[in-house]
Amino acid sequence: MAERHTRLRAGNHRPDRGKHPRTTRVTHLLRHGAAVALIGACTALIPPVATPAHAAPSVAAVAAHKTLPRAPKKLTARAANTPTGARAVARAMVADRGWSTKQYTCLVKLWNKESHWRVTAKNSSSRAYGIPQALPGHKMRSAGHAWRTDAATQIRWGLGYIEGRYDTPCQAWSHSRSRGWY
């Protein structure tokens, strides 16, 4: 019975693991931050529910549509680690904190100045690291184990730092303009 899972299969044999290849692939995707892509692929298979033509949208749906910036439809882990993808992730996280689009604009200006939204940005003189230029970089470990390479982890830590020290990104940007650091 156990031989069934370890027998050779064309193109799917993984001798280093005793698990079924499909299970291993899903586990691999979830471990490496591609859950967004996996969820997007799964939800594409579910047919939409038909609503009556006379039904009005809910108040919460209308309010959310007007106040929240749009998040990308599908953003893989690799795409999120580009400067453009990192800004998209930050836009969603800023909205989740209840901050306005103005706060997002201040955040973009602040982190453009600090790191140009590069995940691996390093300051050779101060040893600050990442998108928010954490000093020292390993402080971001508190937001996740992949702090060196994951934009979402760095952004999560940076927003927490800004909220704890300055309350809002605009106040952090103001401090940065007047002092040269934040």
Side-chain angles (χ1 to χ4, degrees):
M1 185 84 168
E3 295 172 15
R4 181 167 44 112
H5 292 290
T6 57
R7 130 183 102 177
L8 287 174
R9 291 189 176 138
N12 287 332
H13 180 63
R14 307 250 334 213
D16 57 331
R17 298 194 179 129
K19 295 180 181 177
H20 190 274
R22 274 183 251 128
T23 306
T24 304
R25 178 72 177 143
V26 170
T27 305
H28 175 77
L29 286 172
L30 292 174
R31 280 192 191 138
H32 296 294
V36 173
L38 181 65
I39 292 168
C42 291
T43 55
L45 299 174
I46 301 170
V49 177
T51 56
H54 65 278
S58 69
V59 175
V62 172
H65 178 71
K66 289 181 180 179
T67 58
L68 296 179
R70 293 181 183 231
K73 290 184 181 178
K74 289 183 182 178
L75 193 61
T76 63
R78 179 173 285 166
N81 290 331
T82 65
T84 302
R87 284 189 295 273
V89 168
R91 179 182 287 264
M93 287 187 183
V94 164
D96 287 346
R97 288 178 182 265
W99 288 338
S100 67
T101 305
K102 179 182 177 186
Q103 297 300 325
Y104 172 72
T105 303
C106 290
L107 183 71
V108 169
K109 290 176 185 177
L110 177 66
W111 286 349
N112 273 342
K113 177 186 174 219
E114 293 293 328
S115 64
H116 297 283
W117 292 86
R118 292 176 314 187
V119 175
T120 57
K122 296 175 189 168
N123 184 323
S124 59
S125 62
S126 70
R127 300 185 66 189
Y129 187 83
I131 294 170
Q133 288 292 284
L135 182 61
H138 65 80
K139 279 185 184 180
M140 292 186 284
R141 199 178 314 153
S142 64
H145 69 279
W147 63 271
R148 286 183 179 92
T149 57
D150 185 37
T153 301
Q154 293 182 8
I155 292 165
R156 187 178 318 111
W157 181 87
L159 292 177
Y161 171 77
I162 288 170
E163 188 172 28
R165 183 159 178 133
Y166 302 101
D167 292 327
T168 67
C170 286
Q171 289 175 342
W173 173 235
S174 175
H175 183 274
S176 178
R177 283 185 303 170
S178 66
R179 305 263 173 98
W181 56 274
Y182 85 106

